[in-house]
Amino acid sequence: IQLTQSPSSLSASVGDRVTITCRASQGISSDLAWYQQKPGKAPKLLIHAVSTLQSGVPSRFSGGGSGTDFTLTISSLQPEDFATYYCQHFNSYPFTFGGGTKVEIK
Amino acid sequence: EVLLVESGGGLVQPGGSLRLACAASGFTFSSYWMYWVRQAPGKGLVSVSRINGDGRTTNYADSVKGRFTISRDNAKNTLYLQLNSLSAEDTAVYYCAKSRGNAFDIWGQGTMVIVSS
C-alpha cells in the first residue's frame, strides 16, 4: 500500500488554518495515523485511527477521512507547529509512511 | 516513564555488520509488537522490521530481507537489530518504536548508522 501526501511542503503564517492530505493506493479502513517530526528529533504521534487525538496533543490538530483519502488539519498554526508531518497506514505490513509534508514559516 | 533508548550505531565499512539495541522501560515490554524504522539523511520514514511479543513472528521490508535480523530478549527488556552486508543505502538514523496496535506511540531517540569506506 502506497501513501501519497500533498503538498510536499507549504508556507504558512501563525494563525493560519492548514490542511495536509494523505491518499492511499487502496482502501485502508480507519487504519491511519499522523506524526509530527522536528529536525533532529524522533517522530511524535499526533493522531491514530484517523481522528483520535493522542493524549497531550493540542485540540487544534484534527484528522478526518475514510477509505483512501485522509486529512490532517491544524486549525490555527502555532510557532511550535512548524515541522514535517507524516501519515502512516496500519492496514497490512509493511506499515508504510507517506513522503512527508514540511510546514514552513511564511 | 515510558522510554526507549537505542544504542549501537556508528561508522561501518561497506559489507560490514552492526548490532543495534533498544532498551525499553516503563511498560510491559513482552506484551507489545516492536518495530524498527529508519530515516536516511534528508529523507522520509521507512518501516524496516517488526517482531511480536514472544519473538516468534518477524517481518522485514524487502530491502533488508536476508540481511537484517530482528530479535528481542524479554528478560532484558531489549530489542535488537542485526545488520549484515551493509551498503551505503543503509545509511540512516534507526529508530525503535512501540506499537499501540494502530500507531507507534513511543519512539526512541534514534541511533545513526553510517556506511562508508
Side-chain angles (χ1 to χ4, degrees), chain A residues 10-87:
Chain A
L10 64 90
S11 295
S13 301
V14 173
D16 284 354
R17 181 182 182 89
V18 168
T19 297
I20 298 168
T21 297
C22 179
R23 175 163 290 174
S25 57
Q26 64 188 70
I28 57 172
S29 185
S30 61
D31 299 327
L32 190 93
W34 289 95
Y35 302 88
Q36 176 193 67
Q37 186 180 33
K38 295 183 178 179
K41 300 295 186 181
K44 172 189 171 185
L45 177 63
L46 297 176
I47 288 171
H48 58 90
V50 176
S51 60
T52 303
L53 218 58
Q54 177 70 352
S55 176
V57 173
S59 59
R60 62 180 180 273
F61 290 92
S62 64
S66 64
T68 60
D69 294 316
F70 304 90
T71 57
L72 172 69
T73 298
I74 309 171
S75 60
S76 178
L77 202 62
Q78 298 301 300
E80 60 268 30
D81 300 336
F82 292 96
T84 300
Y85 295 84
Y86 293 93
C87 58

Side-chain angles (χ1 to χ4, degrees), chain B residues 9 14 19 42 48 55 58 61 71 80 83 107 109 111 114:
Chain B
R19 189 194 199 199
V48 171
T58 60
S71 62
Y80 300 101
L83 290 63
W107 295 67
Q109 85 286 355
T111 188
I114 300 173

Side-chain angles (χ1 to χ4, degrees), chain A residues 30-33 35 37 40-45 47-49 54 86 88 90 93-99, chain B residues 35-37 39 43-50 59-61 95 99-105 107-109:
Chain A
S30 61
D31 299 327
L32 190 93
Y35 302 88
Q37 186 180 33
K41 300 295 186 181
K44 172 189 171 185
L45 177 63
I47 288 171
H48 58 90
Q54 177 70 352
Y86 293 93
Q88 182 193 23
F90 279 79
Y93 195 76
F95 301 145
T96 52
F97 294 86
Chain B
Y35 293 74
W36 286 99
V37 175
Q39 186 171 37
K43 302 297 185 182
L45 301 166
V46 177
S47 290
V48 171
S49 184
R50 70 170 181 172
N59 299 101
Y60 299 91
Y95 296 101
S99 170
R100 53 157 285 142
N102 61 357
F104 294 167
D105 58 344
W107 295 67
Q109 85 286 355

